[in-house]
Amino acid sequence: MLAMQDHSTHKQEPRREKKKTTTTKTRMKGVGGASVVAVVVVAGCLLAAAAVVDGAVTCGDVDASLLPCVAYLTGKEAAPSAACCAGVKRLRTLPVGTAERRFACDCVKKAAARFKGLNGDAIRDLPANCGSPLPFPLTLDFDCSTIP
C-alpha cells in the first residue's frame, strides 16, 4: 500500500511540473510577443520622427491642410474659412523640391477624388482667394508630373 502511495505521488509531481513549465512557456510567449510589438511601435515612431526631420511631405499633411476647405469647395460656404486659408498657407510651405511638389499635387488630386460635388472653379481659385499662391496649380485634371 505504501508503494502505491509513493507511485501515485510520484505521478502527480511530474504533472505539476509539466503544468508549471507549460504556464511558464506560455508566459514567455506572451512576453516575447509583447516585446516584438514594443519594438515595432518604437521603430515606427523613429521612422515617423525621421520623416518629420527630413521634412518629407505626406498625403496626411496635405489632407489635414485642405480638410477645412471642403465646405467652401463643395459650395456649402461662400468663401474659404480662416482655417481653410491657414491650411492653404501651410500647404504652400510643405513641399521643398520638385519631387515633393509633384507628390503634394498628387495627394491633392487623390483627396479631391474622395469628395463628391467639388466645384472646379472654387478649387482653382482657392489659393488666390486665400492670398497664398501654391507651388502647383489646384485643378482636378492637372498633370502633376509637369511641375518643375
Side-chain angles (χ1 to χ4, degrees):
M1 189 68 112
L2 204 42
M4 283 178 40
Q5 286 178 346
D6 286 344
H7 184 69
S8 66
T9 305
H10 183 69
K11 278 187 176 180
Q12 289 178 355
E13 286 180 26
R15 285 184 186 167
R16 286 183 191 155
E17 286 178 24
K18 283 184 181 179
K19 201 170 197 176
K20 287 181 184 178
T21 304
T22 304
T23 305
T24 303
K25 284 181 183 178
T26 304
R27 286 184 186 157
M28 293 292 278
K29 286 179 184 177
V31 170
S35 296
V36 170
V37 170
V39 169
V40 170
V41 168
V42 169
C45 290
L46 290 174
L47 288 173
V52 171
V53 170
D54 289 339
V57 176
T58 67
C59 283
D61 296 331
V62 173
D63 290 352
S65 296
L66 294 178
L67 190 60
C69 301
V70 172
Y72 167 69
L73 297 175
T74 56
K76 293 178 182 168
E77 290 181 1
S81 65
C84 170
C85 288
V88 172
K89 289 176 183 168
R90 185 173 43 256
L91 183 58
R92 180 180 181 185
T93 64
L94 288 176
V96 293
T98 300
E100 285 190 355
R101 284 191 295 272
R102 290 177 179 178
F103 181 80
C105 176
D106 282 331
C107 291
V108 168
K109 289 176 72 172
K110 288 176 186 173
R114 291 192 307 258
F115 293 97
K116 303 293 181 217
L118 294 176
N119 180 317
D121 293 337
I123 294 170
R124 181 195 67 231
D125 297 339
L126 180 62
N129 288 340
C130 287
S132 185
L134 293 176
F136 52 87
L138 285 183
T139 65
L140 296 176
D141 58 356
F142 183 75
D143 181 4
C144 297
S145 68
T146 63
I147 295 173

